[in-house]
Amino acid sequence: MIAVAIDGPAGAGKSTIAQQAAKELGFIYVDTGAIYRAAALACIESRTSIEDVAAVEALLPELDIRIVFLNNEQHILLNGKDVSEAIRTENVSMAASRVSAIPAVRKFLLKLQRDFAQNSDVIMDGRDIGTVVLPNAQVKIFLTASPEIRAKRRVLQLEEKGEPADFDKILYDIVQRDFNDTNRKTAPLKAAENAIIVDTSEMTLTEAVRTVVDIIKEQGL
Ligand code: DC
């Protein structure tokens, strides 16, 4: 099986780029952030405080989080319910960043991620795919972009959906999430030693997809 690990900070374009590259190459695309978001949503819905690590740990055995594919599109089931839309709010984003710092949560979600790579050729994106989840991935890419560019892209995305977008608040949240993800003790966000760094700040989406596909093809995969 072939595994491509794509890591990087929030808003670097990982999911859009990885999804398009996977389509072009005929790989399955797995967005691992979605399962951390599902765990965060479960905390919010059950009114479990994320600061209370013991309470979050106690909630884990009650969680059935699954990744399923419908028409080639990833959906997330939380205890049987499709939460693919519900996990995309800013509130859940921030909660996911905090819940993902809890080691027991990371351990709980590890097998789910590894199982995918065992059964299919995958492009998997996240924060620790090249370092922890799939350390033997044949290709490791670290996708990044400046916080300002990432905030600008997020504003455009929200405006396209007709939702309110406050640049300063979004930039603040991005910087905050980068800090949380980079500084946590367990599996922090960092480039694997043998990762190829791709900075998409000055690239269009098409250029970024081309760059990633070329890197994968250069490995003879
Ligand atoms: O990629 P995303 O923004 O949907 O991820 C949501 C949060 O989950 C993010 O703040 C960090 C965390 N995450 C993680 O710790 N490890 C991963 N492999 C993927 C996401």
Side-chain angles (χ1 to χ4, degrees), residues 7-8 10-11 14 31-34 36-37 88 92-94 96-98 100-101 106 113 125-129 133 177 181 184 187:
D7 292 301
K14 293 189 303 290
D31 160 16
T32 63
Y36 288 93
R37 287 170 177 272
R88 295 294 159 197
V92 173
S93 297
M94 202 45 87
S97 177
R98 284 163 42 228
S100 67
R106 306 201 68 82
Q113 298 172 77
D125 90 29
R127 303 294 189 286
D128 62 338
I129 309 303
V133 179
R177 274 221 280 161
D181 296 348
R184 66 173 178 235

Side-chain angles (χ1 to χ4, degrees), residues 45-172:
E45 286 183 341
S46 64
R47 298 181 186 277
T48 303
S49 163
I50 296 172
E51 311 310 324
D52 185 347
V53 173
V56 175
E57 285 179 4
L59 183 67
L60 293 177
E62 291 170 32
L63 300 188
D64 176 16
I65 297 175
R66 289 180 199 213
I67 301 177
V68 295
F69 288 89
L70 301 174
N71 300 325
N72 261 338
E73 206 179 289
Q74 176 179 306
H75 286 252
I76 300 294
L77 303 185
L78 170 61
N79 294 337
K81 187 173 141 208
D82 191 334
V83 293
S84 314
E85 289 277 322
I87 57 172
R88 295 294 159 197
T89 65
E90 293 299 321
N91 194 17
V92 173
S93 297
M94 202 45 87
S97 177
R98 284 163 42 228
V99 90
S100 67
I102 300 174
V105 171
R106 306 201 68 82
K107 198 170 160 211
F108 178 73
L109 296 173
L110 192 56
K111 185 173 180 304
L112 177 64
Q113 298 172 77
R114 285 194 175 147
D115 283 351
F116 268 100
Q118 234 156 37
N119 302 321
S120 333
D121 293 334
V122 290
I123 295 188
M124 197 173 278
D125 90 29
R127 303 294 189 286
D128 62 338
I129 309 303
T131 50
V132 176
V133 179
L134 304 175
N136 297 323
Q138 288 90 336
V139 184
K140 297 180 186 178
I141 295 172
F142 193 82
L143 264 188
T144 186
S146 73
E148 289 75 17
I149 294 277
R150 289 186 275 139
K152 233 184 245 170
R153 289 176 184 163
R154 182 74 187 134
V155 167
L156 282 178
Q157 254 178 11
L158 289 169
E159 284 174 353
E160 270 168 24
K161 285 200 274 179
E163 289 174 24
D166 174 346
F167 176 83
D168 290 338
K169 162 93 174 71
I170 288 171
L171 179 59
Y172 178 85

Side-chain angles (χ1 to χ4, degrees), residues 189-210:
L189 167 65
K190 68 165 192 236
E193 262 173 33
N194 47 351
I196 297 167
I197 314 267
V198 177
D199 187 328
T200 67
S201 299
E202 306 292 328
M203 292 184 192
T204 63
L205 175 61
T206 312
E207 286 167 347
V209 173
R210 196 68 273 131

